[in-house]
Amino acid sequence: MKTQRLVLAGLFAAVIAVLAPWAIPLPFVPISMQTLIIPLVASLVVWQVSLGATLVYILLGVIGLPVFAGGASGIGVLLGPTGGYLIFMPLFPLIIGLMTALKRNTTTLVASNVIAAIVQLFLGTVWLILAAHMTWSSGFSVGFTIFIIPTLLKVAIVILLTFAIAKALKLPLGKQR
């Protein structure tokens, strides 16, 4: 990875780590800023940078920094019932970054964000069901269904912020020119 990309990955890992702990606590799975800030980063920079930033963020939480939702940290969070939502966070940069690398326009940006959000939410819910030994219907009720509207709202915010930032900067950041 070139120096510019390494610096951007470190910078965005720090941004994710600062913003991601903010969450609205719910009984099983919180509504967190993680699923807003990571897709935003993925929409702003090349996939290699956003993937690096996301992996560094997860590593920071695993080694004990309080960067996960609600200030949680440690390997136990990653391996616990809600850990699947974290484990599948790298899907955001992979899906968004790779789709927008093929064609960077509004349709692709919206579609990639929706697909990434739904896939990450779905796989995180499957992890929740298996780790918490829940029934499929109760697991989808508490881990998926109630998050559809907040997820779509976050996608809309990501798109609006990406457009606003694109007016000031040439996107994606980190692209070899």
Side-chain angles (χ1 to χ4, degrees):
M1 202 183 267
K2 300 256 184 210
T3 303
Q4 177 194 30
R5 288 185 177 182
L6 285 172
V7 170
L8 284 171
L11 174 69
F12 281 111
V15 169
I16 294 167
V18 168
L19 296 175
W22 297 5
I24 300 169
L26 294 176
F28 290 97
V29 181
I31 296 176
S32 75
M33 289 289 289
Q34 296 160 327
T35 51
L36 175 75
I37 192 64
I38 291 174
L40 178 60
V41 170
S43 297
L44 297 176
V45 299
V46 295
W47 72 269
Q48 299 94 329
V49 171
S50 58
L51 180 61
T54 302
L55 293 174
V56 167
Y57 157 71
I58 293 170
L59 180 63
L60 291 173
V62 167
I63 64 170
L65 293 177
V67 297
F68 296 149
S73 66
I75 191 74
V77 175
L78 200 66
L79 300 176
T82 60
Y85 297 100
L86 285 167
I87 289 169
F88 295 112
M89 284 290 170
L91 291 175
F92 283 108
L94 290 172
I95 293 170
I96 296 166
L98 293 173
M99 284 181 70
T100 56
L102 294 173
K103 185 166 185 152
R104 188 161 189 92
N105 60 28
T106 303
T107 303
T108 306
L109 186 64
V110 171
S112 65
N113 270 273
V114 169
I115 291 167
I118 297 301
V119 169
Q120 184 268 348
L121 185 60
F122 175 80
L123 293 173
T125 302
V126 171
W127 181 285
L128 172 71
I129 291 166
L130 298 174
H133 307 290
M134 302 174 97
T135 65
W136 287 92
S137 73
S138 66
F140 271 95
S141 178
V142 300
F144 188 85
T145 309
I146 64 170
F147 292 101
I148 294 296
I149 291 175
T151 295
L152 294 176
L153 288 173
K154 287 179 188 180
V155 167
I157 293 167
V158 166
I159 301 305
L160 292 173
L161 288 172
T162 301
F163 288 150
I165 293 167
K167 287 182 180 180
L169 302 170
K170 186 166 177 61
L171 299 180
L173 298 176
K175 184 175 182 178
Q176 311 287 339
R177 303 203 194 282

